[in-house]
Amino acid sequence: EPEVTQTPSHQVTQMGQEVILRCVPISNHLYFYWYRQILGQKVEFLVSFYNNEISEKSEIFDDQFSVERPDGSNFTLKIRSTKLEDSAMYFCASSLLSGALNNEQFFGPGTRLTVL
Amino acid sequence: AQKVTQAQTEISVVEKEDVTLDCVYETRDTTYYLFWYKQPPSGELVFLIRRNSFDEQNEISGRYSWNFQKSTSSFNFTITASQVVDSAVYFCALSERGFNKFYFGSGTKLNVKP
């Protein structure tokens, strides 16, 4: 069964460093998403991406964040200069369609980011 | 305002007890989807069920059942004869028509003790 994969499973970085979290969405999906879950809290939407551009982003997704689909299979989230409060689990998700038709999102296993 | 409310922060039951996890949602859309996900200690999100707003039939899958009531904007989840392996955090989520993001509730941590 196709699945969303994410690498690495755990990333440790120093404050101020740049990190890139990688995701491989399901191959025929068109919509891609990043969510964040700070430890013990709920899952929060960061950004959605379609047709090589951001379609929606939350207030969390500030200028420190960027997303890219560099090669047609990977979908990346970059944090330019990490802060302690960026420590969280980051989930990638993809869906075939959007809106009312069939917007089931398939989630990856997550990348746990620890900023020291 | 919260779009998805899970008022129960944590529930503890003894194995074989039935337990119901509550979810109340808020939306102005007539077309929307509701979901339940399980998050075990390992951290991944495990999809349990999706329901669209036009289908109010209750669903049963093994020991799991879901009660969707539009009149009360609720989508409750019941585990019958709970087992220790059911221990996890359970999230309810909402997706509205025309939007491509999920609104998650704050989760209910279920502890099933032997």
Side-chain angles (χ1 to χ4, degrees):
Chain A
E1 187 174 327
E3 59 182 15
V4 177
T5 59
Q6 290 185 243
T7 54
S9 56
H10 191 189
Q11 172 98 41
V12 181
T13 190
Q14 296 289 329
M15 192 169 57
Q17 295 295 305
E18 174 184 286
V19 294
I20 297 176
L21 309 183
R22 291 185 166 78
C23 167
V24 178
I26 294 173
S27 62
N28 63 335
H29 282 187
L30 302 175
Y31 293 82
F32 315 112
Y33 314 83
W34 283 101
Y35 290 82
R36 180 182 81 174
Q37 184 185 30
I38 294 172
L39 186 64
Q41 299 186 23
K42 68 178 175 184
V43 179
E44 299 173 291
F45 170 78
L46 288 178
V47 65
S48 59
F49 191 86
Y50 169 69
N51 200 25
N52 279 321
E53 60 183 30
I54 291 173
S55 51
E56 191 172 357
K57 61 182 180 179
S58 72
E59 59 276 6
I60 303 169
F61 194 87
D62 61 22
D63 293 343
Q64 292 282 70
F65 292 91
S66 62
V67 289
E68 193 178 29
R69 190 154 160 80
D71 57 14
S73 62
N74 288 284
F75 179 51
T76 62
L77 174 69
K78 182 193 291 186
I79 309 175
R80 256 178 277 283
S81 177
T82 49
K83 308 184 194 85
L84 295 176
E85 54 265 37
D86 293 326
S87 294
M89 181 77 99
Y90 289 82
F91 291 102
C92 173
S94 70
S95 65
L96 178 59
L97 298 171
S98 183
L101 290 175
N102 181 5
N103 64 346
E104 179 176 347
Q105 294 184 14
F106 294 80
F107 284 83
T111 292
R112 182 166 297 285
L113 176 65
T114 302
V115 182
L116 302 176
Chain B
Q2 295 288 330
K3 282 192 173 283
V4 180
T5 301
Q6 294 180 256
Q8 304 150 310
T9 307
E10 189 165 352
I11 300 175
S12 292
V13 299
V14 177
E15 212 171 14
K16 296 184 184 166
E17 284 185 10
D18 298 347
V19 57
T20 295
L21 310 183
D22 298 334
C23 173
V24 174
Y25 62 92
E26 180 185 330
T27 180
R28 294 181 181 179
D29 284 359
T30 55
T31 303
Y32 52 89
Y33 288 85
L34 295 163
F35 301 79
W36 275 94
Y37 285 86
K38 175 182 180 179
Q39 187 175 45
S42 48
E44 73 271 24
L45 288 169
V46 178
F47 168 80
L48 296 178
I49 190 172
R50 177 186 67 176
R51 217 72 186 130
N52 75 55
S53 52
F54 298 110
D55 184 0
E56 279 195 81
Q57 275 194 339
N58 292 332
E59 179 152 341
I60 299 175
S61 175
R63 296 184 296 107
Y64 295 169
S65 62
W66 290 269
N67 182 282
F68 176 29
Q69 292 198 348
K70 287 176 77 170
S71 60
T72 55
S73 297
S74 65
F75 185 44
N76 296 338
F77 172 33
T78 297
I79 301 174
T80 303
S82 59
Q83 300 175 0
V84 173
V85 293
D86 295 328
S87 296
V89 180
Y90 291 85
F91 289 97
C92 181
L94 164 73
S95 181
E96 297 170 314
R97 180 190 179 96
F99 292 93
N100 51 12
K101 66 183 179 184
F102 278 22
Y103 299 95
F104 280 84
S106 52
T108 296
K109 183 175 182 182
L110 175 64
N111 302 306
V112 182
K113 301 174 183 176

